[in-house]
Coordinates of all heavy atoms in Angstrom, one line a residue:
M1 N -7.3 10.2 -11.0 CA -8.6 10.0 -10.4 C -8.5 9.6 -8.9 O -9.3 10.2 -8.1 CB -9.4 8.9 -11.1 CG -9.7 9.2 -12.6 SD -10.8 10.6 -12.8 CE -12.3 9.7 -13.2
N2 N -7.6 8.7 -8.6 CA -7.5 8.3 -7.2 C -6.7 9.2 -6.4 O -5.8 9.9 -6.9 CB -6.9 6.9 -7.2 CG -7.7 5.8 -7.8 OD1 -8.9 5.9 -7.8 ND2 -7.1 4.8 -8.3
D3 N -7.1 9.3 -5.1 CA -6.2 10.1 -4.2 C -5.2 9.2 -3.6 O -5.5 8.0 -3.4 CB -7.1 10.6 -3.1 CG -8.1 11.7 -3.6 OD1 -7.7 12.5 -4.5 OD2 -9.2 11.8 -3.1
P4 N -4.1 9.7 -3.2 CA -3.1 8.9 -2.5 C -3.7 8.4 -1.2 O -4.5 9.1 -0.6 CB -1.9 9.9 -2.2 CG -2.1 11.0 -3.2 CD -3.6 11.1 -3.4
I5 N -3.3 7.2 -0.8 CA -3.8 6.6 0.4 C -2.7 6.3 1.3 O -1.6 6.0 0.9 CB -4.7 5.4 0.2 CG1 -4.0 4.3 -0.6 CG2 -6.0 5.8 -0.5 CD1 -4.8 3.0 -0.8
P6 N -2.9 6.4 2.6 CA -1.8 6.2 3.6 C -1.5 4.7 3.8 O -2.4 3.8 3.8 CB -2.3 6.8 4.9 CG -3.8 6.7 4.8 CD -4.1 6.8 3.3
V7 N -0.2 4.4 3.9 CA 0.3 3.1 4.2 C 1.3 3.2 5.3 O 2.1 4.1 5.4 CB 1.0 2.5 2.9 CG1 1.7 1.1 3.3 CG2 0.1 2.3 1.8
T8 N 1.2 2.3 6.3 CA 2.1 2.3 7.4 C 3.2 1.2 7.1 O 2.9 0.0 6.9 CB 1.4 2.0 8.7 OG1 0.4 3.0 8.9 CG2 2.4 2.0 9.9
C9 N 4.4 1.6 7.1 CA 5.6 0.7 6.9 C 5.7 -0.3 8.0 O 5.6 0.1 9.2 CB 6.8 1.5 6.8 SG 8.3 0.5 6.7
P10 N 5.8 -1.6 7.7 CA 5.9 -2.6 8.7 C 7.3 -2.6 9.4 O 7.5 -3.3 10.4 CB 5.6 -3.9 8.0 CG 6.0 -3.6 6.6 CD 5.7 -2.2 6.3
S11 N 8.3 -1.9 8.8 CA 9.6 -1.9 9.3 C 9.9 -0.7 10.2 O 10.4 -0.9 11.3 CB 10.7 -1.9 8.2 OG 10.6 -3.1 7.4
C12 N 9.5 0.5 9.8 CA 9.8 1.7 10.6 C 8.6 2.3 11.2 O 8.7 3.2 12.0 CB 10.6 2.7 9.8 SG 9.6 3.4 8.4
F13 N 7.4 1.8 10.8 CA 6.1 2.2 11.3 C 5.8 3.7 11.0 O 5.0 4.3 11.6 CB 6.0 2.0 12.8 CG 6.2 0.5 13.1 CD1 7.4 0.1 13.7 CD2 5.2 -0.4 12.8 CE1 7.6 -1.3 13.9 CE2 5.4 -1.8 13.1 CZ 6.6 -2.2 13.7
E14 N 6.5 4.2 10.0 CA 6.2 5.5 9.5 C 5.1 5.4 8.5 O 5.0 4.4 7.8 CB 7.4 6.2 8.8 CG 8.5 6.5 9.8 CD 8.2 7.7 10.7 OE1 7.4 8.5 10.3 OE2 8.8 7.8 11.8
E15 N 4.3 6.5 8.3 CA 3.2 6.4 7.4 C 3.6 7.3 6.1 O 4.2 8.3 6.3 CB 2.0 7.0 8.0 CG 0.7 6.8 7.2 CD -0.5 7.2 8.0 OE1 -0.9 8.4 7.9 OE2 -1.1 6.3 8.7
F16 N 3.4 6.7 5.0 CA 3.6 7.5 3.8 C 2.4 7.2 2.8 O 1.6 6.4 3.1 CB 4.9 7.1 3.1 CG 5.1 5.7 2.7 CD1 4.8 5.3 1.4 CD2 5.5 4.7 3.7 CE1 4.9 3.9 1.1 CE2 5.6 3.4 3.3 CZ 5.3 3.0 2.0
E17 N 2.4 7.9 1.7 CA 1.2 7.8 0.8 C 1.6 7.2 -0.5 O 2.7 7.4 -1.0 CB 0.6 9.1 0.6 CG -0.1 9.7 1.9 CD -0.9 10.9 1.6 OE1 -0.5 11.7 0.7 OE2 -2.0 11.0 2.2
V18 N 0.7 6.3 -1.0 CA 0.9 5.7 -2.3 C -0.3 6.0 -3.2 O -1.4 6.2 -2.7 CB 1.1 4.2 -2.3 CG1 2.4 3.9 -1.5 CG2 -0.1 3.5 -1.7
M19 N -0.1 6.1 -4.5 CA -1.2 6.2 -5.4 C -1.7 4.8 -5.6 O -1.0 3.9 -6.1 CB -0.7 6.8 -6.8 CG -0.3 8.2 -6.7 SD -1.7 9.3 -6.2 CE -2.8 9.1 -7.6
P20 N -3.0 4.5 -5.2 CA -3.5 3.2 -5.3 C -3.9 2.8 -6.7 O -4.1 3.7 -7.6 CB -4.7 3.2 -4.4 CG -5.2 4.6 -4.5 CD -3.9 5.5 -4.7
P21 N -4.1 1.5 -7.0 CA -4.6 1.1 -8.3 C -6.1 1.4 -8.3 O -6.7 1.8 -7.3 CB -4.4 -0.4 -8.2 CG -4.4 -0.8 -6.8 CD -3.8 0.4 -6.1
A22 N -6.7 1.4 -9.5 CA -8.1 1.6 -9.6 C -8.9 0.5 -8.9 O -8.4 -0.6 -8.8 CB -8.5 1.6 -11.1
P23 N -10.1 0.8 -8.4 CA -10.8 -0.2 -7.6 C -11.1 -1.5 -8.4 O -11.0 -2.6 -7.8 CB -12.2 0.5 -7.4 CG -11.8 2.0 -7.3 CD -10.7 2.1 -8.3
H24 N -11.3 -1.4 -9.7 CA -11.5 -2.6 -10.5 C -10.3 -3.5 -10.7 O -10.3 -4.6 -11.1 CB -12.1 -2.3 -11.9 CG -11.2 -1.6 -12.8 ND1 -11.1 -0.2 -13.0 CD2 -10.3 -2.1 -13.7 CE1 -10.2 0.0 -13.9 NE2 -9.7 -1.1 -14.3
E25 N -9.1 -2.9 -10.3 CA -7.8 -3.7 -10.4 C -7.5 -4.4 -9.1 O -6.6 -5.1 -9.0 CB -6.7 -2.8 -10.8 CG -6.8 -2.2 -12.2 CD -5.7 -1.2 -12.5 OE1 -5.2 -0.5 -11.6 OE2 -5.4 -1.0 -13.7
T26 N -8.3 -4.2 -8.1 CA -8.1 -4.8 -6.8 C -9.0 -6.1 -6.7 O -10.0 -6.2 -7.5 CB -8.5 -3.9 -5.6 OG1 -9.9 -3.6 -5.7 CG2 -7.7 -2.6 -5.7
P27 N -8.7 -7.1 -5.9 CA -7.5 -7.1 -5.0 C -6.2 -7.3 -5.7 O -6.2 -8.1 -6.7 CB -7.8 -8.1 -4.0 CG -8.7 -9.1 -4.7 CD -9.5 -8.3 -5.7
C28 N -5.1 -6.7 -5.3 CA -3.8 -7.0 -5.8 C -2.8 -6.7 -4.8 O -3.1 -6.2 -3.7 CB -3.6 -6.2 -7.1 SG -3.6 -4.4 -6.8
E29 N -1.6 -7.1 -5.1 CA -0.4 -6.8 -4.2 C 0.7 -6.2 -5.0 O 1.0 -6.6 -6.1 CB 0.0 -8.2 -3.6 CG -0.9 -8.7 -2.5 CD -0.2 -9.8 -1.7 OE1 0.6 -10.5 -2.3 OE2 -0.5 -9.8 -0.5
W30 N 1.4 -5.3 -4.4 CA 2.5 -4.7 -5.0 C 3.8 -4.9 -4.2 O 3.7 -4.8 -2.9 CB 2.3 -3.1 -5.1 CG 1.3 -2.7 -6.1 CD1 0.6 -3.4 -7.0 CD2 0.9 -1.3 -6.3 NE1 -0.2 -2.6 -7.7 CE2 -0.1 -1.3 -7.3 CE3 1.3 -0.1 -5.8 CZ2 -0.7 -0.2 -7.8 CZ3 0.7 1.0 -6.2 CH2 -0.3 1.0 -7.3
D31 N 4.9 -5.1 -4.8 CA 6.2 -5.0 -4.2 C 6.5 -3.5 -4.1 O 6.4 -2.8 -5.1 CB 7.3 -5.6 -5.1 CG 7.5 -7.0 -4.8 OD1 7.6 -7.4 -3.6 OD2 7.5 -7.8 -5.8
Y32 N 6.8 -3.0 -2.9 CA 7.1 -1.6 -2.7 C 8.2 -1.4 -1.8 O 8.4 -2.2 -0.8 CB 5.8 -0.9 -2.2 CG 5.6 0.5 -2.6 CD1 5.0 0.8 -3.8 CD2 6.0 1.5 -1.8 CE1 4.8 2.2 -4.2 CE2 5.9 2.8 -2.1 CZ 5.3 3.2 -3.4 OH 5.1 4.5 -3.7
D33 N 9.0 -0.3 -2.0 CA 10.0 0.0 -1.0 C 9.5 1.2 -0.2 O 9.0 2.2 -0.8 CB 11.3 0.4 -1.7 CG 12.0 -0.8 -2.4 OD1 11.7 -1.9 -2.0 OD2 12.8 -0.5 -3.3
C34 N 9.7 1.1 1.1 CA 9.3 2.2 2.0 C 9.9 3.5 1.6 O 11.1 3.5 1.3 CB 9.7 1.9 3.4 SG 9.3 3.2 4.6
E35 N 9.1 4.6 1.5 CA 9.7 5.8 1.1 C 10.5 6.5 2.3 O 11.2 7.5 2.0 CB 8.6 6.8 0.7 CG 7.9 6.2 -0.6 CD 6.8 7.2 -1.1 OE1 6.5 8.2 -0.5 OE2 6.3 6.8 -2.2
V36 N 10.4 5.9 3.5 CA 11.1 6.5 4.6 C 12.4 5.7 4.9 O 13.4 6.3 4.9 CB 10.2 6.5 5.8 CG1 10.9 7.1 7.0 CG2 8.9 7.3 5.5
C37 N 12.3 4.4 5.0 CA 13.4 3.6 5.4 C 13.9 2.7 4.3 O 15.0 2.1 4.4 CB 13.2 2.8 6.6 SG 12.0 1.4 6.3
C38 N 13.2 2.7 3.1 CA 13.6 1.9 1.9 C 13.6 0.4 2.1 O 14.1 -0.3 1.3 CB 15.0 2.4 1.5 SG 15.1 4.1 0.9
H39 N 13.0 -0.1 3.2 CA 12.8 -1.5 3.3 C 11.7 -2.0 2.3 O 10.7 -1.3 2.2 CB 12.4 -1.9 4.7 CG 13.5 -2.2 5.6 ND1 14.3 -1.3 6.2 CD2 14.0 -3.5 5.9 CE1 15.3 -1.9 6.9 NE2 15.1 -3.2 6.7
P40 N 11.9 -3.1 1.7 CA 10.8 -3.7 0.8 C 9.7 -4.2 1.6 O 9.8 -4.7 2.7 CB 11.5 -4.8 0.1 CG 12.6 -5.2 0.9 CD 13.1 -4.0 1.7
M41 N 8.5 -4.1 1.0 CA 7.3 -4.6 1.7 C 6.3 -5.0 0.6 O 6.5 -4.7 -0.6 CB 6.7 -3.5 2.5 CG 6.0 -2.4 1.7 SD 5.4 -1.1 2.7 CE 7.0 -0.2 3.0
M42 N 5.3 -5.8 1.0 CA 4.2 -6.1 0.1 C 3.0 -5.2 0.5 O 2.7 -5.2 1.7 CB 3.8 -7.5 0.1 CG 4.9 -8.5 -0.5 SD 5.1 -8.2 -2.2 CE 3.6 -8.9 -2.9
I43 N 2.4 -4.5 -0.4 CA 1.2 -3.8 -0.1 C 0.0 -4.5 -0.8 O 0.0 -4.7 -2.0 CB 1.3 -2.3 -0.6 CG1 2.5 -1.6 0.0 CG2 0.0 -1.6 -0.2 CD1 2.7 -0.2 -0.5
S44 N -0.9 -4.9 0.1 CA -2.2 -5.5 -0.4 C -3.3 -4.4 -0.6 O -3.5 -3.7 0.4 CB -2.7 -6.6 0.5 OG -1.7 -7.6 0.7
F45 N -3.9 -4.4 -1.7 CA -4.9 -3.4 -2.0 C -6.3 -4.2 -2.1 O -6.4 -5.2 -2.8 CB -4.7 -2.6 -3.3 CG -3.5 -1.7 -3.2 CD1 -2.3 -2.2 -3.7 CD2 -3.6 -0.5 -2.7 CE1 -1.2 -1.3 -3.7 CE2 -2.5 0.4 -2.6 CZ -1.3 -0.1 -3.1
E46 N -7.3 -3.6 -1.4 CA -8.6 -4.1 -1.6 C -9.5 -2.9 -1.7 O -9.2 -1.8 -1.3 CB -9.0 -4.9 -0.3 CG -8.3 -6.2 -0.2 CD -8.7 -6.9 1.1 OE1 -9.9 -6.8 1.5 OE2 -7.9 -7.6 1.7
S47 N -10.7 -3.2 -2.3 CA -11.6 -2.1 -2.4 C -13.0 -2.5 -1.9 O -13.4 -3.6 -1.9 CB -11.7 -1.6 -3.9 OG -12.3 -2.7 -4.7
D48 N -13.7 -1.4 -1.4 CA -15.0 -1.6 -0.9 C -15.8 -0.4 -1.3 O -15.5 0.7 -0.9 CB -14.9 -1.8 0.6 CG -16.3 -2.0 1.2 OD1 -17.2 -2.6 0.5 OD2 -16.5 -1.5 2.4
D49 N -16.8 -0.6 -2.1 CA -17.7 0.5 -2.5 C -16.9 1.6 -3.2 O -17.2 2.8 -3.0 CB -18.4 1.0 -1.2 CG -19.8 1.4 -1.5 OD1 -20.3 1.1 -2.6 OD2 -20.5 2.0 -0.6
G50 N -15.9 1.2 -4.0 CA -15.2 2.2 -4.8 C -14.0 2.9 -4.0 O -13.3 3.6 -4.6
E51 N -13.9 2.5 -2.7 CA -12.8 3.0 -1.9 C -11.7 1.9 -1.9 O -12.0 0.8 -1.7 CB -13.2 3.3 -0.5 CG -14.1 4.6 -0.3 CD -13.2 5.8 -0.3 OE1 -12.1 5.7 0.3 OE2 -13.6 6.8 -0.8
V52 N -10.4 2.4 -2.1 CA -9.4 1.4 -2.1 C -8.6 1.5 -0.8 O -8.3 2.6 -0.3 CB -8.4 1.6 -3.3 CG1 -7.2 0.7 -3.2 CG2 -9.1 1.5 -4.6
Y53 N -8.4 0.4 -0.2 CA -7.7 0.3 1.1 C -6.4 -0.4 0.9 O -6.3 -1.4 0.1 CB -8.5 -0.4 2.1 CG -9.8 0.3 2.4 CD1 -11.0 -0.2 1.7 CD2 -9.9 1.3 3.3 CE1 -12.2 0.5 2.0 CE2 -11.1 1.9 3.5 CZ -12.3 1.5 2.9 OH -13.4 2.1 3.1
A54 N -5.4 0.0 1.6 CA -4.0 -0.7 1.6 C -3.6 -1.2 2.9 O -3.9 -0.6 3.9 CB -3.0 0.3 1.0
S55 N -3.0 -2.4 2.9 CA -2.3 -2.8 4.1 C -0.9 -3.4 3.7 O -0.8 -4.1 2.7 CB -3.1 -3.9 4.8 OG -3.4 -5.0 4.0
A56 N 0.1 -3.1 4.5 CA 1.4 -3.5 4.1 C 1.9 -4.5 5.1 O 1.6 -4.5 6.3 CB 2.3 -2.2 4.2
R57 N 2.8 -5.4 4.6 CA 3.5 -6.3 5.5 C 4.9 -6.5 5.0 O 5.2 -6.3 3.8 CB 2.7 -7.7 5.5 CG 2.6 -8.4 4.2 CD 1.9 -9.7 4.4 NE 1.4 -10.3 3.2 CZ 2.0 -10.7 2.1 NH1 3.3 -10.4 2.0 NH2 1.5 -11.2 1.1
G58 N 5.7 -6.9 5.9 CA 7.1 -7.1 5.5 C 7.3 -8.4 4.7 O 6.5 -9.3 4.7
L59 N 8.4 -8.4 4.0 CA 8.7 -9.6 3.2 C 9.4 -10.7 3.9 O 9.2 -11.9 3.7 CB 9.6 -9.2 2.0 CG 9.0 -8.3 1.0 CD1 10.1 -8.0 -0.1 CD2 7.8 -8.8 0.4
S60 N 10.2 -10.3 4.9 CA 11.0 -11.4 5.6 C 10.3 -11.8 6.9 O 9.8 -10.9 7.6 CB 12.4 -10.8 5.9 OG 12.3 -9.6 6.5
E61 N 10.2 -13.0 7.1 CA 9.6 -13.5 8.3 C 10.7 -14.2 9.2 O 11.5 -14.9 8.7 CB 8.6 -14.6 8.0 CG 7.4 -14.0 7.3 CD 6.7 -12.9 8.2 OE1 6.5 -13.1 9.4 OE2 6.4 -11.9 7.6
Ligands
LIG101 ZN1 9.9 2.2 6.5

């Protein structure tokens, strides 16, 4: 049902697409490995009006 949404990797700044959770499952966070550079990140999903948005941040500070 959902379309893939773009996520920008916090490590390599490349954009790739993930299949988001359903809107009713947000907000949530996923552990995810970048599909480009394989660095781990956390992707936070939020929804607004049935649209799911993603923002990624690195794990290591
Ligand atoms: Zn990356």
Side-chain angles (χ1 to χ4, degrees):
M1 295 292 257
N2 293 332
D3 291 325
I5 55 177
V7 173
T8 301
C9 174
S11 296
C12 68
F13 303 104
E14 293 288 336
E15 195 172 86
F16 61 95
E17 292 190 323
V18 297
M19 290 298 295
H24 71 265
E25 294 174 333
T26 63
C28 62
E29 284 194 328
W30 289 358
D31 271 312
Y32 208 88
D33 291 338
C34 175
E35 294 183 357
V36 180
C37 71
C38 297
H39 267 81
M41 70 186 82
M42 291 296 289
I43 304 178
S44 301
F45 294 96
E46 293 178 29
S47 64
D48 180 30
D49 220 7
E51 287 277 324
V52 179
Y53 299 95
S55 60
R57 60 175 164 61
L59 293 182
S60 51
E61 292 302 314

